[in-house]
Amino acid sequence: MRRRSFIKNASSAALAPIILNGLPVKAFSKSSILNMLPPNTEGEDRVIVLVQLHGGNDGLNMIIPLDQYGTYFEQRTNIAIPDTGARKYIDVDTTVPGSEQLGLHPDMTGLKALYDEGKVAVVHSVAYENQNLSHFRSRDIWWMGGDENENLRSGWMGRY
């Protein structure tokens, strides 16, 4: 999806009513239950924006572990990002040790610029213990922010 389409669709969806604890809530509504919440009196102006996109992000083609490039390429010959040519991966940071070297997908020039400005950090190979290889259970664990043996009733964002 193009950024323009996402923003257009997201703004349309934001005008639709949703249900929050049994009460209808409509974004941008003056009568919204959200307007009854107490204001932030801490004086902080921090903002977190969470955009959850479902679909086919290929983490290994987005951030490539260069110390394992041979194995990566061998296992993904038809979709691997090449290490030469016009569509070569982008070196993230050549000043880190070889075992920490990463490559970015060649279309991720904006992310690379943010990294160079110190506005983005890469945490690679994040996982949890005792994986059962279920995509759906893994997604639940990530969204909950809990352990593999917990079934929390809310997600980390909601608790935050």
Side-chain angles (χ1 to χ4, degrees):
M1 174 183 286
R2 296 185 186 282
R3 181 174 183 256
R4 183 180 306 268
S5 299
F6 173 77
I7 292 171
K8 180 180 176 185
N9 292 338
S11 64
S12 297
L15 297 175
I18 61 172
I19 303 297
L20 180 65
N21 289 333
L23 299 170
V25 176
K26 185 173 180 180
F28 309 116
S29 170
K30 290 183 180 181
S31 63
S32 171
I33 187 88
L34 299 177
N35 288 327
M36 291 186 245
L37 295 174
N40 177 2
T41 58
E42 301 295 318
E44 295 183 20
D45 62 353
R46 297 182 313 172
V47 174
I48 184 169
V49 176
L50 179 65
V51 178
Q52 174 66 44
L53 301 176
H54 292 280
N57 177 46
D58 181 348
L60 281 175
N61 275 357
M62 179 180 162
I63 301 175
I64 305 158
L66 297 184
D67 67 326
Q68 301 172 44
Y69 185 83
T71 304
Y72 155 80
F73 193 87
E74 181 181 299
Q75 297 295 315
R76 314 175 123 238
T77 54
N78 61 335
I79 61 170
I81 305 298
D83 58 353
T84 60
R87 296 290 295 163
K88 175 193 182 303
Y89 59 77
I90 302 167
D91 287 302
V92 175
D93 187 346
T94 57
T95 65
V96 298
S99 63
E100 298 176 23
Q101 293 281 320
L102 299 173
L104 285 178
H105 187 283
D107 292 334
M108 304 212 48
T109 55
L111 188 69
K112 171 65 167 133
L114 290 171
Y115 178 88
D116 290 344
E117 293 173 19
K119 295 180 178 178
V120 167
V122 176
V123 180
H124 198 252
S125 300
V126 176
Y128 60 90
E129 295 180 348
N130 302 318
Q131 296 184 34
N132 70 356
L133 304 181
S134 165
H135 169 80
F136 302 103
R137 180 63 185 139
S138 295
R139 185 176 61 189
D140 290 346
I141 291 168
W142 286 114
W143 287 351
M144 289 183 317
D147 290 332
E148 78 280 354
N149 58 356
E150 290 182 289
N151 285 302
L152 302 174
R153 296 191 56 157
S154 64
W156 68 268
M157 187 66 179
R159 290 191 309 273
Y160 176 77

